[in-house]
Amino acid sequence: MPIRVLIVDDQALLRATFRVLIDSCDDLEVVAEASDGKQAVELARVHRPDVVLMDIRMPGTDGLAATEAICNDRDLEDIRVLVLTTFQSDEYVAQALHLGASGFLGKNTTADALLDGIRTIAAGDALLSPAATRSLITHFLSASVAGSESVPPEQLAALTPREREVVSLAADGKSNTEIADKLFLSVLTVRTHLQHARTKLGARDRAQLVALAYQSGLARTR
C-alpha cells in the first residue's frame, strides 16, 4: 500500500506542486489537500492519512493548532505530522515538536529530501532535518516552550548509561547509523536503546525524545 499523504498549505500553487511531486512516486499518494488548519483536522479524520505535510503559518487555524488537535486525538494517533517551514527563522518549530510533530523540513528543501522525509516519518522515525546542523537542531529544541514539563528525576534516572549516551548522540543530530558507527553497535541495537528510552520518558517519538533530552539537561547546547 502506498504511503497516504495529506497536504496542508494556504498557497494553492504550492499544494499543486507538492501533489504532482508526491503522486509521481509509486509508493506515495496524496489523499487530500487542506488550505488551513481547521480543514486539515477535518480531512485527517475523514481520510486517516499516514503523514500530514503541515505548513505552520496559515490564516485562521494555523499549523500549530492543527498539529496539536491531530496529535492529541487518540483516534488519529497513527498519523504523523511533518512540518514545512522556513525553519531558519521560524521560532514555532520547537512548539510544533512539543505538540507532537514528528519533524520538520525547510520549504527550500530539495524534491528528493521532501520525498525521503515523508518516507522517514511514515516509517515511524523522526526527521529533525535531513541536512540540519547540530546548531540548528539545538536552536529549536533548547528553546523555551510555553507549558512544557520537565522530565521527573526518577524517569531520567531509569535510563541506563548506554541509553543516555545514545539519546545524547541523537540529540546531537546523529542518525542511527552514525550513532552505531561511533559506539561500535549495530543499528538495530541503537534503535532498541532509543525505543527503551522513549518508553521510559513517555516520548511519543524520536523528535519528542530529543526535545525532552534538552529540556531535562541530558543534552545541552554547546
Side-chain angles (χ1 to χ4, degrees):
M1 294 291 290
I3 297 169
R4 306 172 74 250
V5 181
L6 167 61
I7 300 172
V8 185
D9 199 292
D10 62 325
Q11 298 183 46
L13 180 58
L14 274 180
R15 294 199 308 272
T17 300
F18 291 145
R19 174 182 280 274
V20 170
L21 178 62
I22 293 169
D23 281 342
S24 69
C25 301
D26 293 337
D27 63 330
L28 303 175
E29 173 190 13
V30 176
V31 295
E33 298 177 22
S35 59
D36 60 35
K38 181 176 182 294
Q39 189 179 26
V41 177
E42 294 171 350
L43 292 176
R45 289 172 177 154
V46 171
H47 295 280
R48 303 299 175 96
D50 299 302
V51 175
V52 177
L53 202 57
M54 181 78 75
D55 184 23
I56 285 186
R57 295 177 176 176
M58 296 179 289
T61 303
D62 65 14
L64 287 177
T67 295
E68 182 176 24
I70 291 172
C71 294
N72 286 344
D73 189 330
R74 291 188 177 182
D75 290 336
L76 305 179
E77 62 183 5
D78 291 332
I79 297 176
R80 295 291 177 259
V81 176
L82 175 57
V83 171
L84 282 176
T85 178
T86 51
F87 65 85
Q88 287 183 316
S89 61
D90 198 335
E91 62 186 18
Y92 300 117
V93 170
Q95 289 177 266
L97 293 175
H98 175 69
L99 293 172
S102 293
F104 65 90
L105 280 171
K107 284 191 174 181
N108 61 347
T109 191
T110 66
D112 287 342
L114 174 64
L115 298 174
D116 286 342
I118 292 172
R119 296 183 181 106
T120 297
I121 293 297
D125 291 326
L127 182 72
L128 299 180
S129 176
T133 61
R134 176 168 52 84
S135 60
L136 277 175
I137 294 172
T138 57
H139 171 74
F140 291 118
L141 296 183
S142 63
S144 175
V145 180
S148 64
E149 299 178 359
S150 60
V151 180
E154 61 272 15
Q155 283 184 266
L156 200 58
L159 297 182
T160 67
R162 180 63 88 184
E163 287 166 357
R164 286 171 173 258
E165 192 172 19
V166 170
V167 170
S168 293
L169 288 170
D172 209 31
K174 298 285 192 297
S175 68
N176 287 356
T177 300
E178 290 171 331
I179 295 172
D181 289 343
K182 183 175 180 64
L183 300 180
F184 302 102
L185 301 172
S186 70
V187 173
L188 178 59
T189 299
V190 171
R191 283 180 175 270
T192 300
H193 284 313
L194 288 171
Q195 179 59 51
H196 288 169
R198 281 172 50 191
T199 300
K200 291 176 181 179
L201 298 182
R204 171 189 170 95
D205 55 24
R206 186 188 184 112
Q208 285 199 334
L209 178 64
V210 171
L212 287 172
Y214 281 103
Q215 291 166 7
S216 66
L218 180 60
R220 299 181 184 279
T221 58
R222 297 173 178 84

